[in-house]
Amino acid sequence: MKITLIGYMGSGKTTIGKMLSKKLDLDFYDLDVLFEKKYDSILNIFKKKGELFFRNREHYLLKKILKQKNKYVLSVGGGTPCFYNNIYLLNKYSNTFYLKANGYTLFKRLFLEKNTRPLISHLSKNELFIFIIKHLSKRSNFYDKSLGKINTYGKSKNDIVQEIMKSIKW
Ligand SMILES: Nc1ncnc2c1ncn2[C@@H]1O[C@H](COP(=O)(O)OP(=O)(O)O)[C@@H](O)[C@H]1O
Ligand SMILES: O=C(O)C1=C[C@@H](OP(=O)(O)O)[C@@H](O)[C@H](O)C1
Ligand SMILES: [Mg+2]
């Protein structure tokens, strides 16, 4: 079984994915890391080639990794399920979990880490909050198609890992 984590930027996909893979003794992949190994930093790619180029290469990388035969935990980027038919591919080839977090929690986390994320790096504090609320509402339509959902509000990283482990249908 492949387990994939989806959700908005800052929802904990990379962090929780790594922890979960260790608990389950599975390989861990992060789609952004795979992308940056193959191409360039996501910040540079957005700057030099634009978002559409990123989404196209991201889609092909996702297809390639989903068709691998081994079991693993994969954390994707916040936008991955929202482009091409990626959410259908994710659900077809893996057990998808949506790490659901509220706008204010995401804002607090992303304000501290916005410089590494090209979609929000240029925004002021006020702009960032408004952007997250609107963007999350649009993207939730895709995230809500996941096979499993974990409400992360007020939960520690360890609690979230435990909850995913309990929900896995092997
Ligand atoms: N449940 C949690 N409680 C507190 N902080 C968290 C939690 N989940 C993630 N974080 C923190 O939020 C930040 C963003 O996490 P990250 O794994 O990079 O998210 P994503 O990959 O979804 O963008 C990190 O600093 C991480 O430590
Ligand atoms: O939400 C998005 O569109 C993006 C999220 C990022 O990943 P994280 O969700 O891990 O921050 C990364 O893929 C890129 O900056 C675009
Ligand atoms: Mg991540």
Side-chain angles (χ1 to χ4, degrees):
M1 174 50 81
K2 300 173 180 20
I3 295 162
T4 54
L5 302 185
I6 71 169
Y8 200 74
M9 288 177 270
S11 59
K13 303 175 298 292
T14 298
T15 312
I16 303 291
K18 251 184 229 165
M19 291 169 64
L20 181 67
S21 69
K22 284 196 188 120
K23 286 269 178 205
L24 296 172
D25 199 21
L26 291 177
D27 289 337
F28 173 68
Y29 301 108
D30 187 287
L31 195 61
D32 287 335
V33 173
L34 296 176
F35 181 94
E36 293 195 330
K37 268 190 198 149
K38 189 165 164 118
Y39 298 100
D40 190 356
S41 77
I42 294 175
L43 277 174
N44 273 344
I45 290 286
F46 266 67
K47 227 184 279 163
K48 291 185 192 153
K49 306 258 188 177
E51 182 174 358
L52 288 183
F53 178 91
F54 171 74
R55 297 302 172 192
N56 177 269
R57 298 305 188 273
E58 179 188 46
H59 173 63
Y60 284 99
L61 262 184
L62 177 70
K63 278 207 285 197
K64 199 170 147 201
I65 185 144
L66 285 176
K67 289 184 180 174
Q68 275 182 204
K69 291 226 155 55
N70 58 321
K71 294 177 182 178
Y72 55 71
V73 176
L74 168 71
S75 298
V76 299
T80 313
C82 316
F83 290 84
Y84 294 91
N85 57 344
N86 292 349
I87 186 63
Y88 297 101
L89 294 175
L90 282 157
N91 283 338
K92 178 172 175 190
Y93 290 100
S94 72
N95 203 340
T96 46
F97 286 94
Y98 168 25
L99 300 186
K100 192 171 173 156
N102 69 40
Y104 188 58
T105 303
L106 295 168
F107 164 71
K108 282 189 290 182
R109 289 185 195 155
L110 290 172
F111 181 64
L112 301 175
E113 295 186 4
K114 72 185 176 85
N115 294 342
T116 56
R117 292 172 170 92
L119 290 177
I120 56 173
S121 55
H122 58 291
L123 300 177
S124 70
K125 201 169 182 179
N126 285 342
E127 286 169 340
L128 177 65
F129 185 66
I130 295 165
F131 177 88
I132 291 172
I133 299 297
K134 286 192 187 156
H135 201 212
L136 177 61
S137 149
K138 280 191 212 146
R139 285 187 166 182
S140 296
N141 298 319
F142 295 92
Y143 301 150
D144 282 335
K145 292 188 167 58
S146 66
L147 303 177
K149 190 180 294 181
I150 305 289
N151 190 349
T152 65
Y153 182 70
K155 293 179 187 160
S156 71
K157 295 171 191 176
N158 277 319
D159 286 350
I160 296 166
V161 171
Q162 290 302 326
E163 201 172 323
I164 298 174
M165 286 175 63
K166 277 192 212 143
S167 316
I168 296 171
K169 296 183 186 80
W170 292 102

